[in-house]
Structures are given as structure tokens and as C-alpha cells.
């Protein structure tokens, strides 16, 4: 009795904890909106918003279909009883089922629904063994039927799951295998009993499996009855699925279809069957919210799942309670004693499949040696696969200067494919037991090795072929047949060779195992030797046609740094930037610099080219900088300068042609995982490991590591100084050095609390009340960290005698939003917080140092200014002007076109007009006008009171667009973005729509 009370208490506590997790995930160190911010109040609001004329009919429908499913369960019970020669009236079974449902809500199945039905049927028939057999087989059939239903309905959820087709197909394959094995075990229960007798198994599990095996054996001569019972089991679960459809329709769940419910319901049933909660409460709600909150609201999804309890559990509970009162049954204590007595009688009369000690040892030895042979097959096959994929990658991607893919591939793929070898072996053991014929270890080794290799051809080989040969285009029937043919050839060829190689060790298993391990070691050593033959990084070819005579030029570009957060631009600084303050004393500070776009690619394209975004056309996620656009680096290079660049954002890598004009342009990459080199990072298994690690980190709430997103300031500074000290840095030629610092771009890392960070990719629209203060604090700490590393850079330049006579221009590409206009991040608006950026220019000898220029300056002025400082002429298509020539600008034009938001703005000293496309998802007005004299923070749209002025600015905006487009470059796009670049773009918040 104490054990039963403890079980009920545990279920109650677990159920309460589930609802705490659902309503207050922060209690378990999860984000507040982990489940969509659902609360009981929001669920009640959903109920209040439904009309009773809609609610009641659909709840009645839900109750009817649930009862129909229960009726199918009753018919299944009766069918299985008949299979044992027991004829019990349906009316009796109906009453027993309802009473069992009533007592089963709070009790485990053994003393709840199943226990009551067992006791009731035994009391009626007097056949304890047969009745216990029926209940055991019914549970096994129910599990098989539910798994089969998951397999059938899983494809309906493809659109709801954030997985690709290959992963989806793999899940379906695993489900299909599971269903097939479970059904074969149901029809061939002898296998279960042999495995339990041979394989060491905990007593409780062994007894349960033995009981199921013996029960199923009772029907081994009537397999058609088992198939019929399985079909009735499907109807049981389908009744529950349609019940959830009814509760969904009762509350008018938006954007959720019958197919969505058919996908989610079997998984909800699985959760309630396996989870130890009261009536599945808490589990079904969490599963529903997790799967369906992408279509319905979180509170809506939880509500229709919760209504399923009232319809599926509470209504039968009421009916069962009425029947229980009406029925004249024995007292509960007497029934419990009777149930225990009948279980003892059942246990005493059960028969076992007996294996003597010699047979058990023989089976055990065969299984263990087969598993060892399969593991060796997978180990050697994996190493061969790693070497083969490495060779493929280095053949198609000749730019790699290191060949770590060979060593890493052989070393890592071997242990990974042990799992494949063991999986194949388990299938072979299962098949052998079904056929009652033992397979030799040599054949198991050969089939495991060949199966691993052919599976790799079908999966990894097909992927590489599609990526590198077909340029990501879908494979047609012919190409797929080629892949299938290659896999079949590999299977037959390697299988035959492996079988022949295993023959000498047929009676020398230990020597065979040692030979297998040695073979793997040889393959790993071979991979290391091949990796050692890499060509290494070639010294860039630099042979200028003329000798440059100007000063060294350094462009320091900061990503996502807004001007008003720097003490040098703000009257109320919250942080200290002592190194920038010293730099400002040697420089000219331009306090009114505005970007021509509010995200990285178009801003840098403008900085490099001196052209407006519409003119250089590098404005979308897939666009590149066209060859016809002349960059400042090209002009410097043609003048004899050594041009060196360190790019730190995937949007401006060589892939997008931002390297044009640079003698050497280094694309800085995030740190790699698992000690892999650049070439190894292209391996399929590495990519899978990386994604799994990233997902696990997000789910477990692990601290962020900025090097997984970009290289921090200390790395950029170190690389710059190392290059200046290297042989690659020219001694007798001036250089133009471009340094790209990503700090303080997200993730905003709080350097006062290591590991704390806020990334756009996982926090697209954070709650301002919760996140504004800590995100700003982290952003400010990033600026202080950046300043410290700039100090190291400036000191390093001074130590090398390069600071004083160099031209150094410090600028940011855009700013950052912190909910000033109900939004975050950048790239979606043209308010000053994302356009107003710092620009500080140090001239040789510190000329004009410490002065402040208050005139408008723009990104289009950067390239002409740097060229002018080196006594070079700007390119003919550059629209900007050298800043030190004193040209006065009356207004600033900016534009942005990203993720369906098209924007233009004209900013004057006194006012500003912003134009947005209709229907943009940020819900920006088509026109906004701001009086900057009285409203410098752009908080109040004054369009209605300034229509004549806004029309004047709009005409100016249109004339600017016409002027810019007259000489615009032909757009250029990149259609083949590698997976590693795309992943980095996604991590930095540049994924999603183009």
C-alpha cells in the first residue's frame, strides 16, 4: 500500500513540475518565452473568446470520436479473449473498461485500467493465465500500433519541423525499422525469449520482456488475429487524434489544420503513455506547444491539448464512476487481494523457453563475437570513408593550403561508423534468430564493412556529388541511378574482399580482432602522412608596375558601432574609452557622419567603392560586389601599394568579391570545433557534429563563445601586428591595411560576466523589459573591450614606428537599435541610431589633430578621402569627396532593401524624411517626417503638420534615386554559398529571407 501511495505522490509532484516548466520556464533556467510566454490567464482568455455555439458542438464531436476509439479498444480486448477461447459479453467488457478508466487516472496501469480489467475478466472467466496473456499482448499491440501511426503521420509534420529533407527521411527510416522489428517480434516472440535468456538484462526488465514474449507465443498459431488486433489498435489511437481535432476546432485554433493535428497527436499520445504524470497532464500540453506553436499561438496549442484531458479522461471518469456505483462488485481490498492471488497463480503456471547453460553460452559467445566483428567492420569502413571524402573535398576545393581532412577524417570517421557497423550487425543477428541460422563472424564483418561503405556512398557520396558536381541542383533519375549503382558496386566489391580477408582468421578470432585494429591504425597513420603533404600557404605574389611613394594607410572599420555610445560623441558617457580619446587628440573627429545603409554588405561596399548602394548594387544577402565597380583597394594596388585586408564578417568575404584590389585578403573564420582544420571542416561528419553541438548548447543554455561567431578584437589586432612583423609585409613599399573589427556586433558579450551573451539568431525580438538593460550593458562592455584592443594596436604601431606618419581612418559601418523605435539589431530601419556612426581621421604627423568637423560626411567620402591622403585620384564613379578638401554637404541620402523592407531617407540639419514600402513586416509607415530641432531622437512623426516640406524632401529623394541609378553597376549575385559561410551568416542574424 505504501508503494502505491508513493507512486501516486510521485506522479502528482511530476505533474506539478511540468506545469511549472510550462508556465514559468525561468524556474528551470530557461528563457521566459521558451514556451511562448504561456500563462493560465492567457489560456482562460482563449476560452472566454470562444462562442458556446461553437465550443459545445465540437466538444461533443471530440467526445464521440474518443468514445469510438475506446470502443475499438473494447473490441480488441474481446477479440484477444476469443483468441484464448474465452467468450465474455461485450456489455460486461464495456462496464469493466469504464470503471477501469475511472480508477486509472490516478493509478499506474498495473493497478488502474489494466489491473481492474485483468481482475474483472479473471473473476468472470476463472482463467487467470489466459486473461493475463490477453492484457500483456494488448499492451504490446498498442505500442506497435502507436509507433506505426507515428510512422504514417510523421510526414504530415514536415512543414512544422525545422529539419531538412535528409534528416526527415532518416527519421522515417528509423521509425520504419522500429515498426518492422516490433511487428516481427510480435509475430515471432521466440526471439525475445532467446535474447532475454542470453543477454544480461536487469531482472525487472527481463521478467517484463519474458512475460510479453510468453504472452505473444500463445497467439503464434493465429497471426491473422494479431494483425486484426493491431488494426483495432490503430483505430484506438486515431480516435484520440480526431478527439484533439475536435478540441482544436472547438476553440477555433488559427492556422492549424487537420494534418497538423494528425502529426502532433500521436507524439502527444506517446508522451502521455511514457511519462509519469496524472492522466498525461502537463506532457500533452508541452508536446502540443513545442510542435504547434509555430502555427497556433502557444496558449491556443496548450488549451486544445488540455481540453483533450477533459474530453478523453474526465468524461470517461464520470461515466466509469457512475457504473462503478451501480455495479455490485467486491470491496476494493478484496479485489486487490484476489488480483494478487491470480497473478501468483499466473506466474506459477507460465512456461519458459528453456536454454541449458551450454546453449546459452553458445548463443552469448556468437552474439558477442558477431558484435565485435561488426564494430571492426564499421571502424575500418569509417576510416576508409573519411579518407575518401577528404580526397574528394581536396580535389574539388583546391584552395585549401592544409590537408587536415585526411588525418581528421580517418581518425574520427572510424569510431563514428562503429555505430553503423553495430546497427548492421544487430540486423544480421535478428535475421539469423528469425531464420534460426547463425551467421559466421567473417560474413558479419564483411557485410558490416560493405554496408557501412555503401551507406556512405548513398548518403555522403550523394551529398558531395550534388554539392560539388551538380552545384546544389537536385539529382535526376539518371544521377540517382548512378549513385545507386556505385553503392551496389562498392557493397559487392568491398564485401567480397573483406570476406576473403577474414577467412584466415576464421578460427583465430583474437588475431582477427588485432588485425582489424591494426588495419584501422594503419589507415589513421596514412591519413596523417597524407595531411603532411599539404602545400602550405603560398606567399602572395606582389610585383607592382610602379613604385608607390605615399604614406601607409590603415582603415579600421568597426561593425555595428553607433556614434552616440562613444564618450567622444556623447555628453553623458556611460563608459570609458581612453585609447580612442588619445587617438582623437591626434585626429580630426567628424561628428556628423552618416551611413548610406544600415547593414554590413551595402555599407562596406559603399566604403570600398565611394558609391551609393543602388549604384554598386551589392545590397542583398546573395549579391556580390560587381567586377565593374572600382574599389579604393584597386586604385591603391595600381599605384604600387601593398594592399592587405582582414575581413571578419561573412557578408564581405572574397566569396562576395570584396577582395578585388587586395594583394592578400584574409577571410577570418569562426573557430572550428573538435580540433579540426579548415579542410576537415568541410567533412560531412564534422558538419553534423558542429550542428549537434550548437543545438545542444542552445537547448542547455550554455554560455556563448564569441569565437563561434567571429574573431574578437584581440585576434584581429594580433594578426595585424604579426603581419607587420612578417616577411610578407613589404619593407620598401607603403601598404594599405584594412582591419575589420566585429566587436560590438552581436552576440553582445558581457566582458564583466564571461559566457553571458545575446545573439540575434536566438533572440530576434526580445522582451524589452527583461533584456534591454543587460543587452545594453553587454554592448557597452564590448566597446570598452574594443577600445582596449585598439590601444594594443596603436601601441604596436608606435613601437614599429608606423603610427606617426600613417593615415589612419576609424569608421563604423552602421549602428545598432536598442528598442528606441520598438525594434532591435540593425538593417530594418533608417533612424539615426543605425545611421549615425563615428568617423575619425588621423593624418600624417597628427595634422589638424584634436579638431572637430561638424559638417555632414558620408560613407561615400571614405574611399576618396583615403586616396586623397595618399595623393591619388579617386575613381571616376566615386560620388563622395575628400573630407579635408572642405566640400560642404547639405543633406545625406541613405537607403536599405533587406528582408522585404525597402527604405530611403533624406536627412537635413533641421529635419528628416523616411520612406518605406507598404506592408513591410516591421510595420513602418510609408512616410515619416521628423523635426530634428525639436525632436532629435525621432520619436514623434510630424508628417501631418509638415506636408509641403515633406513633399519637397520626397522630390529631392526621387531626384537622388534617379541620379544614382543612371550610372549604377549591373547587379551580381552568388548562387553557390557554401554551408560554412551560410551557417556563419545565420549565426550572425543574416539568415532567413533574401
Amino acid at each position: 500500500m505504501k508503494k502505491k501511495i508513493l507512486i501516486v505522490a510521485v506522479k502528482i509532484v511530476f505533474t506539478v513540475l511540468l506545469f511549472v516548466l510550462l508556465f514559468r520556464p525561468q524556474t528551470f533556467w530557461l528563457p521566459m518565452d521558451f514556451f511562448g510566454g504561456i500563462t493560465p490567464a492567457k489560456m482562460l482568455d482563449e476560452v472566454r473568446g470562444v462562442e458556446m455555439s461553437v465550443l459545445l458542438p465540437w466538444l461533443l464531436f471530440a467526445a464521440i470520436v474518443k468514445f469510438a476509439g475506446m470502443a475499438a479498444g473494447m473490441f480488441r480486448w474481446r477479440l484477444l479473449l476469443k483468441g484464448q477461447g474465452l467468450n465474455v459479453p461485450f456489455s460486461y467488457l464495456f462496464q469493466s473498461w469504464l470503471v477501469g478508466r475511472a480508477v486509472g487516472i490516478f493509478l499506474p496501469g498495473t493497478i488502474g485500467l489494466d489491473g481492474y480489467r485483468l481482475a474483472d475478466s479473471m473473476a468472470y472467466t476463472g482463467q487467470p493465465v489466459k486473461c493475463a496473456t490477453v492484457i500483456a499482448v494488448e499492451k504490446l499491440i498498442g505500442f506497435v500500433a502507436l509507433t506505426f501511426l507515428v510512422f504514417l503521420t510523421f510526414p504530415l509534420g514536415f512543414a512544422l519541423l525545422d529539419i531538412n529533407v535528409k534528416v526527415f527521411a532518416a527519421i522515417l527510416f528509423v521509425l520504419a525499422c522500429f515498426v518492422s522489428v516490433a511487428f516481427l517480434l510480435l509475430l515471432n516472440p521466440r526471439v525475445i525469449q532467446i535474447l532475454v535468456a542470453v543477454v544480461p538484462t536487469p531482472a525487472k526488465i527481463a521478467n517484463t520482456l519474458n512475460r510479453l514474449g510468453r504472452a505473444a507465443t500463445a497467439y503464434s498459431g493465429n497471426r491473422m488475429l494479431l494483425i486484426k488486433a493491431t488494426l483495432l489498435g490503430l483505430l484506438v489511437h486515431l480516435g484520440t487524434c480526431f478527439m484533439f481535432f475536435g478540441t482544436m476546432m472547438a476553440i477555433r485554433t488559427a492556422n492549424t489544420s487537420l494534418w497538423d493535428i494528425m502529426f502532433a497527436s500521436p507524439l502527444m499520445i506517446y508522451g502521455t503513455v511514457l511519462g509519469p504524470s496524472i492522466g498525461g497532464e502537463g506532457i500533452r500540453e508541452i508536446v502540443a506547444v513545442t510542435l504547434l506553436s509555430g502555427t497556433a499561438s502557444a496558449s491556443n496549442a496548450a488549451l486544445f491539448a488540455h481540453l483533450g484531458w477533459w474530453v478523453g479522461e474526465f468524461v470517461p471518469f464520470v461515466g466509469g464512476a457512475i457504473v462503478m456505483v451501480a455495479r455490485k462488485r467486491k470491496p476494493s481490498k478484496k479485489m486487490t487481494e484476489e488480483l494478487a492471488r491470480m497473478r501468483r497463480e499466473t506466474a506459477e503456471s507460465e512456461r519458459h523457453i528453456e536454454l541449458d547453460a551450454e546453449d546459452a553460452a553458445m548463443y552469448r559467445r556468437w552474439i558477442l563475437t558477431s558484435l565485435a566483428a561488426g564494430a571492426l567492420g564499421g571502424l575500418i569502413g569509417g576510416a576508409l570513408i573519411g579518407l575518401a571524402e577528404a580526397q574528394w573535398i581536396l580535389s574539388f576545393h583546391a584552395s585549401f593550403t592544409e590537408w587536415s581532412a585526411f588525418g581528421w577524417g580517418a581518425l574520427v570517421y572510424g569510431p563514428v561508423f562503429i555505430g553503423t557497423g553495430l546497427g548492421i550487425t544487430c540486423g544480421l543477428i535478428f535475421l539469423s534468430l528469425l531464420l534460426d541460422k547463425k551467421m559466421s563472424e567473417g560474413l558479419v564483418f564483411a557485410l558490416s564493412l560493405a554496408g557501412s561503405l555503401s551507406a556512405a556512398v548513398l548518403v555522403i557520396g550523394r551529398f558531395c556529388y550534388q554539392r560539388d558536381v551538380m552545384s546544389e541542383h537536385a539529382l535526376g533519375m539518371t544521377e540517382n541511378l548512378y549513385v545507386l549503382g556505385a553503392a551496389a558496386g562498392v557493397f559487392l566489391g568491398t564485401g567480397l574482399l573483406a570476406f576473403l580477408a577474414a577467412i584466415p582468421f576464421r578460427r583465430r578470432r583474437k588475431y582477427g580482432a588485432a588485425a582489424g585494429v591494426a588495419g584501422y591504425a594503419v589507415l589513421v597513420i596514412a591519413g596523417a602522412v597524407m595531411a603532411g603533404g599539404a602545400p602550405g600557404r603560398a606567399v602572395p605574389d606582389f610585383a607592382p608596375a610602379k613604385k608607390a611613394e605615399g604614406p601607409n594607410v590603415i582603415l579600421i572599420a568597426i561593425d555595428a558601432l553607433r556614434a552616440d555610445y562613444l564618450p567622444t560623441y556623447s555628453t553623458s558617457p556611460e563608459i570609458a574609452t581612453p585609447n580612442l580619446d588619445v587617438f582623437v587628440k591626434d585626429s580630426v573627429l567628424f561628428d556628423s557622419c552618416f551611413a548610406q545603409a544600415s547593414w554590413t554588405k551595402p555599407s562596406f561596399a559603399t566604403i570600398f567603392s565611394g558609391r551609393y548602394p543602388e549604384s554598386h548594387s551589392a545590397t542583398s544577402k546573395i549579391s556580390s560586389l560587381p567586377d565593374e565597380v572600382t574599389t579604393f583597394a584597386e586604385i591603391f594596388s595600381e599605384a604600387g601599394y601593398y594592399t592587405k585586408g582582414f575581413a571578419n564578417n561573412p557578408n564581405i568575404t572574397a566569396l562576395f568579391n570584396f577582395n578585388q584590389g587586395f594583394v592578400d585578403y584574409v577571410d577570418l573564420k569562426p573557430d572550428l570545433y573538435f580540433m579540426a582544420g579548415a579542410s576537415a571542416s568541410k567533412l560531412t561528419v564534422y558538419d553534423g557534429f558542429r550542428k549537434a553541438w550548437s543545438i545542444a548548447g542552445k537547448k542547455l543554455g550554455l554560455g556563448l563563445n564569441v569565437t563561434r561567431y567571429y574573431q574578437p578584437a584581440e585576434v584581429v589586432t594580433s594578426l595585424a601586428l604579426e603581419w607587420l612583423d612578417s616577411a610578407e609585409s613589404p619593407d620598401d613599399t607603403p601598404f594599405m591595411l584594412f582591419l575589420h573589427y566585429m566587436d560590438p556586433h552581436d552576440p553582445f558579450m558581457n566582458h564583466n560576466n564571461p559566457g553571458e551573451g545575446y545573439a540575434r539568431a536566438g533572440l530576434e525580438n526580445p522582451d524589452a523589459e527583461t533584456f534591454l538593460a543587460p543587452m545594453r550593458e553587454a554592448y557597452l562592455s564590448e566597446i570598452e573591450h574594443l577600445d582596449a584592443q585598439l590601444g594594443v594596436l596603436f601601441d604596436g604601431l608606435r613601437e614599429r614606428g608606423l603610427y606617426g606618419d600613417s593615415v589612419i581612418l576609424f569608421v563604423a559601418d552602421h549602428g545598432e537599435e536598442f528598442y528606441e523605435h520598438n525594434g532591435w539589431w540593425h538593417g530594418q530601419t533608417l533612424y539615426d541610431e543605425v545611421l549615425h556612426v563615428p568617423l575619425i581621421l588621423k593624418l600624417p604627423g597628427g595634422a589638424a589633430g584634436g579638431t572637430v568637423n561638424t559638417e555632414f560626411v558620408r560613407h561615400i567620402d571614405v574611399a576618396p578621402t583615403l586616396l586623397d591622403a595618399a595623393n591619388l585620384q579617386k575613381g571616376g564613379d566615386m560620388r563622395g569627396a575628400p573630407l579635408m578638401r572642405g566640400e560642404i554637404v547639405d543633406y545625406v541620402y541613405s537607403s536599405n532593401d533587406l528582408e522585404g523592407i525597402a527604405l530611403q531617407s533624406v536627412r537635413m540639419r533641421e529635419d528628416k524624411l523616411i520612406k518605406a514600402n507598404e506592408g513591410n513586416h516591421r510595420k513602418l509607415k510609408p512616410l515619416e517626417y521628423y523635426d530634428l530641432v525639436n525632436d532629435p531622437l525621432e520619436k514623434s512623426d510630424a508628417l501631418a503638420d509638415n506636408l509641403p516640406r515633406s513633399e519637397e524632401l520626397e522630390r529631392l529623394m526621387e531626384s537622388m534615386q534617379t541620379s544614382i541609378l543612371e550610372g549604377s553597376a549591373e547587379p551580381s549575385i552568388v548562387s553557390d554559398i557554401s554551408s560554412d559561410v551560410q551557417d556563419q551568416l545565420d549565426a550572425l542574424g543574416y539568415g532567413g529571407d533574401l
Side-chain angles (χ1 to χ4, degrees), residues 101-222:
R101 294 284 297 198
V103 300
I105 290 183
F106 301 100
L107 300 174
T110 51
I111 55 176
L113 173 61
D114 294 335
Y116 186 87
R117 289 192 300 126
L118 176 60
D120 213 22
S121 59
M122 288 191 298
Y124 186 90
T125 63
Q127 298 287 335
V129 175
K130 292 183 176 181
C131 290
T133 297
V134 167
I135 296 298
V137 171
E138 190 181 47
K139 290 176 75 71
L140 181 59
I141 286 174
F143 186 70
V144 172
L146 178 56
T147 307
F148 184 52
L149 183 61
V150 171
F151 170 72
L152 292 177
T153 60
F154 198 76
L156 301 176
F158 178 70
L160 300 175
L161 299 175
D162 187 21
I163 55 177
N164 60 37
V165 175
K166 297 179 183 67
V167 174
F168 193 76
I171 293 173
L172 282 180
F173 176 76
V174 171
L175 284 172
C177 291
F178 190 85
V179 170
S180 301
V181 169
F183 198 69
L184 286 171
L185 288 175
L186 179 64
L187 299 180
N188 299 273
R190 169 183 162 279
V191 175
I192 301 175
Q193 295 178 284
I194 291 177
L195 289 174
V196 170
V198 172
V199 179
T201 311
K204 190 171 182 179
I205 297 176
N207 292 336
T208 300
L209 292 174
N210 257 325
R211 189 161 55 249
L212 290 173
R214 289 191 295 272
T217 303
Y219 292 91
S220 58
N222 195 352

Side-chain angles (χ1 to χ4, degrees), residues 911-916 918 924-932 935 938-955 957:
D911 52 7
K912 179 177 179 179
L913 184 72
I914 304 175
K915 186 176 183 179
E918 296 275 2
L924 300 170
K925 298 177 184 177
L927 279 178
E928 296 176 27
Y929 173 87
Y930 294 99
D931 176 0
L932 299 178
D935 181 22
E938 303 166 282
K939 292 293 186 181
S940 178
D941 177 16
L943 180 67
D945 299 328
N946 295 274
L947 289 177
R949 175 58 173 167
S950 66
E951 291 172 358
E952 180 183 344
L953 292 179
E954 189 172 9
R955 286 193 296 272
M957 182 186 295

Side-chain angles (χ1 to χ4, degrees), residues 397 463 467-468 471-472 599 601 620-624 650-651 653 655-656 669 682 972-986 990-992 994:
H397 304 272
F463 167 75
R467 179 192 64 195
D468 299 324
S471 300
E472 303 284 355
W599 71 287
K601 185 181 288 182
S620 72
K621 293 180 180 179
I622 60 172
S623 63
S624 64
N651 283 295
T653 59
L655 174 68
F656 295 108
K669 302 286 188 181
K682 299 289 288 184
S972 175
I973 64 170
V974 175
S975 58
D976 184 19
I977 300 176
S978 62
S979 59
D980 56 334
V981 172
Q982 186 60 58
D983 290 336
Q984 191 185 0
L985 288 167
D986 292 341
Y990 296 110
L994 301 179

Side-chain angles (χ1 to χ4, degrees), residues 24 31 47 74 91-92 117 146 193 393 484 538 549 559 576 591 604 635 654 663 669 716 731 752 825 864 898:
R24 286 185 54 83
V47 175
M74 298 173 198
S91 59
Y92 188 90
R117 289 192 300 126
L146 178 56
Q193 295 178 284
I393 287 170
L484 284 173
E549 297 180 354
D559 216 302
D591 76 348
F604 269 101
I635 297 175
V663 175
K669 302 286 188 181
V716 179
D731 294 328
N752 301 316
W825 318 112
L898 182 68

Side-chain angles (χ1 to χ4, degrees), residues 549-564:
E549 297 180 354
N552 293 319
V553 176
I554 302 174
L555 171 61
I556 301 173
I558 315 299
D559 216 302
L561 175 61
R562 52 192 286 173
D564 61 338

